[in-house]
Amino acid sequence: MKLSVPGRAAATAVVAAVSLLAGGSIAGAAPAAGPSLAAAPDISVTNVKAHLSQLQSIATANGGNRAHGRAGYKASLDYVKAKLDAAGFTTTIQQFTSSSQVGYNLIADWPGGDTNQVVMAGSHLDSVTSGAGINDNGSGSAAVLETALAVSRADYRPTKHLRFAWWGAEELGLVGSRYYVNSLSTANRSRMSGYLNFDMIGSPNPGYFVYDDDPAIEKTFKAYFTGLGVPTEIETEGDGRSDHAPFKNAGVPVGGLFSGADYVKTAAQAAKWGGTAGLAFDRCYHSSCDTTANINDTALDRNSDAIAYAVWGLSA
């Protein structure tokens, strides 16, 4: 998640070489519960953590981070792309320029489904320069990747078209996602049923926050957590600070999950979620200690399963 700094301008994105896939949306989305939602698979937290270990190794081998313009970012993108290519996705690398450095978005389309109704799930893949960025945002990136691989393993054939994305240069001001949205034609934007964003979903002192931007998407996520007996709160800390913002500004329905960053957990929140009151949800936010040790497995597991629940239900 990018820093909240007043007046911080996003760098200008310039296309280098890309042919955009048809854009696409969840207006009037699926119901909050039903057979199609129940059919979503359990996402293996072991597999998600294996992806996080790979991202940690990539950071360690490349100066300790996976930041925009650094070798660690491109190696992270190559890792994700290889997994998706092997699983049968059609992948596209979208190239842009920010802060005089080349950046990359990775877009992955699952074959089939109505391309006039596109359900998209995404996360930012870059870290800050000060650390490996395993919670921010390896957690979202790994969970979205494992959900996409689950789509392939299940040979899932939804009514709507499924698209997944990993954004570059989010930490510089949502640069990659903004470039993608700005590059879409009006027609392609109208084809997007919805965009689901996952930025920090394994915080070590976690909360369970749901975006309230679109009622149908919000209802779907809340239904999942209600089924677990886990209370949720409306997400406010990251509002406008992550990659859903460009989509929302373009009129695309958006939703997502968040487990908290540098805000402090209250006593009331600790009473319902556990953890430690008076401590930040993620004390290693944007720091060198954001490593694989900085993950709460329960939060990562629940949120990963919630991603699959929403992807299956909203695309059925």
Side-chain angles (χ1 to χ4, degrees):
M1 179 174 290
K2 80 177 182 70
L3 286 168
S4 180
V5 179
R8 184 172 190 173
T12 302
V14 181
V15 68
V18 67
S19 175
L20 276 177
L21 297 166
S25 235
I26 292 173
S36 63
L37 292 178
D42 179 74
I43 299 299
S44 166
V45 72
T46 299
N47 290 354
V48 177
K49 290 184 70 178
H51 300 315
L52 293 180
S53 293
Q54 290 297 317
L55 295 177
Q56 177 69 65
S57 295
I58 287 168
T60 300
N62 290 279
N65 67 73
R66 302 179 301 98
H68 166 74
R70 309 293 182 92
Y73 179 77
K74 185 57 165 58
S76 299
L77 182 139
D78 290 343
Y79 169 77
V80 174
K81 184 178 186 299
K83 292 287 187 181
L84 295 164
D85 287 341
F89 283 83
T90 299
T91 59
T92 300
I93 295 176
Q94 185 181 50
Q95 192 168 313
F96 58 87
T97 300
S98 178
S99 299
S100 302
Q101 299 286 338
V102 176
Y104 307 94
N105 294 327
L106 176 62
I107 313 299
D109 283 76
W110 181 239
D114 182 359
T115 54
N116 288 312
Q117 301 181 81
V118 178
V119 175
M120 190 172 192
S123 60
H124 77 86
L125 187 56
D126 63 314
S127 73
V128 292
T129 57
S130 58
I134 297 304
N135 187 39
D136 185 15
N137 182 38
S139 62
S141 293
V144 171
L145 172 58
E146 190 58 29
T147 299
L149 297 179
V151 166
S152 174
R153 285 192 291 267
D155 195 26
Y156 180 44
R157 300 296 173 183
T159 300
K160 297 177 182 177
H161 181 73
L162 279 178
R163 178 172 298 149
F164 299 88
W166 291 262
W167 309 116
E170 187 269 359
E171 298 290 3
L172 299 185
L174 320 181
V175 179
S177 57
R178 182 177 288 113
Y179 179 74
Y180 175 83
V181 172
N182 288 345
S183 299
L184 293 174
S185 66
T186 301
N188 281 340
R189 289 183 188 181
S190 72
R191 293 184 177 107
M192 297 204 67
S193 296
Y195 171 71
L196 311 178
N197 193 62
F198 305 100
D199 189 352
M200 302 180 65
I201 61 168
S203 301
N205 190 31
Y208 293 89
F209 299 98
V210 175
Y211 297 13
D212 66 343
D213 301 278
D214 179 79
I217 300 173
E218 177 188 1
K219 185 178 181 182
T220 299
F221 283 123
K222 284 185 172 179
Y224 173 78
F225 284 104
T226 296
L228 292 183
V230 176
T232 60
E233 291 185 8
I234 297 303
E235 196 284 307
T236 59
E237 181 181 0
D239 200 20
R241 290 170 56 186
S242 193
D243 294 299
H244 60 291
F247 289 88
K248 181 179 179 179
N249 293 341
V252 176
V254 301
L257 302 173
F258 179 55
S259 57
D262 53 351
Y263 280 22
V264 172
K265 179 176 279 188
T266 67
Q269 290 169 330
K272 65 183 174 183
W273 290 327
T276 306
L279 187 69
F281 293 103
D282 183 357
R283 64 180 182 82
C284 290
Y285 175 65
H286 283 190
S287 300
S288 60
C289 58
D290 188 8
T291 66
T292 50
N294 191 47
I295 290 290
N296 181 285
D297 288 2
T298 299
L300 185 68
D301 191 15
R302 288 170 171 172
N303 284 316
S304 297
D305 288 338
I307 294 172
Y309 181 91
V311 165
W312 256 253
L314 295 170
S315 65

